[in-house]
Amino acid sequence: MGWYKSFINRHVNKDYQCDDYKQEMIDYLQGHGLDANETVGMMTAVNLNEVAYEMVEGEDFSVFIVITAGVGNAIDAAFGENHFIRSQPGTINTWIFVNGKLTDEAYVQSIITATEAKASVLREVGIADNVTGTIATGTSTDSILIGATQQGVELVFGGPISPLGKLVGKGVYQCLRKALAKYQG
């Protein structure tokens, strides 16, 4: 949590392994002229050309969503104890940028709403957990970001029937479906 100026979704090879991934990311950011203290960075083995994005408009605010999605590492979170750390790639990185002023509750609730929308798509598409055979709820390495301009209309809540939550849920649903359609594995 914090205030950031730069956002990067970095492509890494499918066999990426690093004992100190935080320091390696800091070194990468600094090597590209970015201040690590002002940058949010995510990594993905998904081809960045397979990115999907969606702009959804509210009455007085908007939400821009960017998703890269790989599901080779899909799991059902209810059965995480059946899994061991694997090097098989697969990550769903979700970026949600809100043109509005969010309360702390709205940030947290938006994460929940986005996660529920993601799980809905995975259920509809039929993505299974390879270990349990149940429907996956995500992957073991998913990341999510909620960013806001903190200007304009105040958005108090982010649950699925709030004005913000309606856009987050709809946007994540549409965007993830597009990202999965592009995913080459």
Side-chain angles (χ1 to χ4, degrees), residues 54-109:
E54 189 79 24
M55 174 69 86
V56 285
E57 302 274 341
E59 193 169 309
D60 298 322
F61 69 100
S62 58
V63 177
F64 182 63
I65 298 165
V66 180
I67 297 178
T68 52
V71 291
N73 195 16
I75 68 161
D76 181 345
F79 300 104
E81 76 277 0
N82 293 323
H83 291 265
F84 299 96
I85 295 175
R86 304 184 295 202
S87 61
Q88 184 177 5
T91 294
I92 300 172
N93 284 346
T94 304
W95 304 71
I96 300 169
F97 298 98
V98 181
N99 187 17
K101 184 176 180 181
L102 275 63
T103 63
D104 290 347
E105 294 87 354
Y107 277 106
V108 172
Q109 292 169 350

